[in-house]
Amino acid sequence: MNETLYTSSEKKTGNVMAICAIALVYVFLFLLDNFLPSNSFTLMLIPVLKKGAIYSLICVSMNLLNGFTGLFSLGQAGFLLIGAYSYAIFAIPADQHSAVYQYFDGGLIQFSIPEALGSVLGTNLGNFLGAIVCIIIAGLIAAAFAALIGIPVLRLKSDYLAIATLGFAEIIRAICQWTGLGTITNGSNLLRKYTSFSDIKISFGDTVFKLSTIFPFLIAMVSILLIVLLINSSYGRAFKAIRDDEVAAEAMGINLFKHKMLSFVISSFFAGVGGALLAMYQTTIQASAFKTAMTYEILLIVVIGGIGSVTGSCIASFLYIACNEWWLRFLDSGSVFGLSVPFFRDGFRKVVFSVIIMVVVLFFSRGIMGDKELSFAGLVRRLKRRKKPAEAAETSGGGDANE
């Protein structure tokens, strides 16, 4: 029997368990934002959770292209940049344009979508819905750029495709810093004062609740769910067929260029959404930060999690962010548990982190998850299998006692 084929009862129980687990996560995040005391632990935990959720979406979007379709693209940083800039441009309040675009006469775009919605629906609801609208716009603009460059580059294969998309990312970064577009991109200056996670709140009467940690989880979860549904559809099966053997896929009637373009555009859309979330997290953005190293970092996380595994990308994202920005920080402090260690100095964290990555790559050559996925239905099946031998042993023992 195929392990991926579950009975209806296993699926139903697995779905209930998944819904309960997700509900518990969101309850915890809500408590973390509003009720749990602020201390050194929560001050480190909250940024890691936010950035981990954002990187999960970014890595899954890259995995859709590289892992499930087999297209080796290195243009992810470029689409993140487009998404981040698109979000910020439409979310800067009108009265802040003169301060942000101080070298470009206040900028070309003089309105803010969250502000416009806030004037009708109220500030908090306007910020919430306005941020979502700006995020969708960011994804659409990134997808439009992908459709434009996909026409020439998707006819290339392997290393040539990687080089072409890498060049695109660098060109976009240079264009965004060009003073000729300064009235839109602000040239090489920062974009700031736009709606960020700290502005996402909801009010019930006179009580206001913060949603700064829940919001990135909500957007990332919905986006990843859409990607999973795509992967499990007929289009997803076509993507996998192209990855496994292009000649055989074409012989079966799959339009290679059409499906490659579709995968490229959808991946870029969600990369743009991830870029918008990254802009909200950082509160300021500048094109110079979206370098090639960012794409390599994302690719590294995808490889560690497992190429062709959505849950692998999510798990690896949180582990990578937690190790890089929290758990290994003591290695840069010069001491541990109050004891001075001479070789614990600035930069030593990166050395240890590199060794850990090498160990993972050497001993888990297919990544943490390989091409497998975590499944609550699978967990239910394993629990049933463990339960049956135990019941059989009890029955056997009972029979001996009666004799």
Side-chain angles (χ1 to χ4, degrees):
M1 180 179 178
N2 191 337
E3 291 295 324
T4 60
L5 298 178
Y6 302 110
T7 64
S8 58
S9 63
E10 289 172 344
K11 289 181 179 179
K12 185 177 180 180
T13 306
N15 290 336
V16 171
M17 291 175 64
I19 292 171
C20 291
I22 292 171
L24 287 174
V25 169
Y26 279 97
V27 168
F28 171 72
L29 294 175
F30 183 77
L31 294 175
L32 189 62
D33 274 338
N34 296 280
F35 298 105
L36 295 182
S38 179
N39 51 44
S40 58
F41 177 78
T42 56
L43 288 176
M44 290 302 301
L45 177 63
I46 290 174
V48 167
L49 290 176
K50 290 179 181 177
K51 195 170 183 180
I54 296 167
Y55 266 64
S56 294
L57 171 57
I58 295 170
C59 292
V60 170
S61 71
M62 189 174 195
N63 211 346
L64 172 65
L65 192 62
N66 290 35
F68 290 96
T69 315
L71 299 177
F72 188 34
S73 170
L74 293 177
Q76 207 74 354
F79 297 114
L80 291 174
L81 172 60
I82 293 171
Y85 266 68
S86 300
Y87 172 84
I89 288 167
F90 289 103
I92 299 173
D95 60 353
Q96 298 295 334
H97 275 78
S98 58
V100 175
Y101 292 92
Q102 56 182 324
Y103 302 110
F104 299 98
D105 299 325
L108 180 64
I109 298 174
Q110 295 288 335
F111 68 92
S112 165
I113 293 176
E115 191 176 48
L117 291 176
S119 64
V120 178
L121 303 173
T123 302
N124 291 331
L125 186 57
N127 283 338
F128 182 84
L129 295 179
I132 292 176
V133 172
C134 290
I135 288 170
I136 294 172
I137 290 173
L140 291 174
I141 293 175
F145 272 87
L148 287 175
I149 71 162
I151 296 172
V153 304
L154 289 180
R155 301 187 186 280
L156 304 173
K157 295 182 179 180
S158 187
D159 299 342
Y160 299 101
L161 174 61
I163 293 170
T165 51
L166 184 63
F168 156 76
E170 290 299 306
I171 291 170
I172 287 294
R173 185 164 66 89
I175 290 175
C176 285
Q177 297 179 88
W178 178 42
T179 55
L181 288 177
T183 55
I184 299 175
T185 63
N186 207 22
S188 59
N189 304 299
L190 291 171
L191 284 178
R192 52 197 174 89
K193 298 185 180 294
Y194 50 79
T195 305
S196 63
F197 289 143
S198 61
D199 299 314
I200 306 299
K201 302 173 185 177
I202 189 170
S203 56
F204 293 98
D206 296 330
T207 306
V208 178
F209 295 105
K210 295 182 290 185
L211 303 176
S212 61
T213 309
I214 291 179
F215 188 79
F217 270 81
L218 178 64
I219 301 298
M221 185 193 72
V222 171
S223 300
I224 292 172
L225 178 60
L226 292 174
I227 293 174
V228 170
L229 291 175
L230 175 67
I231 291 170
N232 292 327
S233 69
S234 59
Y235 288 103
R237 290 190 287 273
F239 294 160
K240 294 174 186 176
I242 293 172
R243 175 196 63 189
D244 295 337
D245 192 328
E246 286 193 10
V247 176
E250 190 171 25
M252 289 189 296
I254 295 173
N255 188 320
L256 296 183
F257 182 77
K258 173 187 172 182
H259 285 85
K260 285 181 179 180
M261 176 66 82
L262 183 64
S263 177
F264 191 56
V265 169
I266 292 174
S267 173
S268 301
F269 172 84
F270 287 110
V273 170
L277 293 176
L278 195 60
M280 296 183 73
Y281 171 78
Q282 294 178 344
T283 68
T284 62
I285 57 169
Q286 193 171 26
S288 59
F290 293 82
K291 298 179 179 178
T292 306
M294 180 178 286
T295 298
Y296 294 152
E297 182 182 44
I298 297 165
L299 181 61
L300 174 64
I301 296 173
V302 171
V303 172
I304 291 174
I307 296 179
S309 172
V310 172
T311 50
S313 293
C314 295
I315 292 170
S317 296
F318 282 99
L319 289 176
Y320 180 89
I321 298 299
C323 288
N324 191 40
E325 301 194 5
W326 186 10
W327 295 340
L328 299 181
R329 278 196 174 275
F330 72 93
L331 297 173
D332 292 345
S333 64
S335 64
V336 57
F337 300 118
L339 299 176
S340 177
V341 182
F343 53 85
F344 279 14
R345 60 187 68 181
D346 289 343
F348 188 66
R349 167 172 56 100
K350 295 291 185 181
V351 175
V352 174
F353 191 60
S354 300
V355 173
I356 293 173
I357 291 172
M358 288 175 62
V359 170
V360 171
V361 171
L362 287 173
F363 292 95
F364 297 91
S365 58
R366 299 186 63 198
I368 296 172
M369 294 296 297
D371 58 355
K372 297 180 175 60
E373 305 286 358
L374 289 179
S375 169
F376 282 97
L379 177 61
V380 171
R381 173 172 291 182
R382 285 192 291 272
L383 291 174
K384 283 183 178 180
R385 286 177 175 175
R386 290 183 180 181
K387 188 177 180 181
K388 286 180 180 178
E391 290 177 348
E394 288 178 4
T395 304
S396 175
D400 293 341
N402 291 334
E403 288 177 3

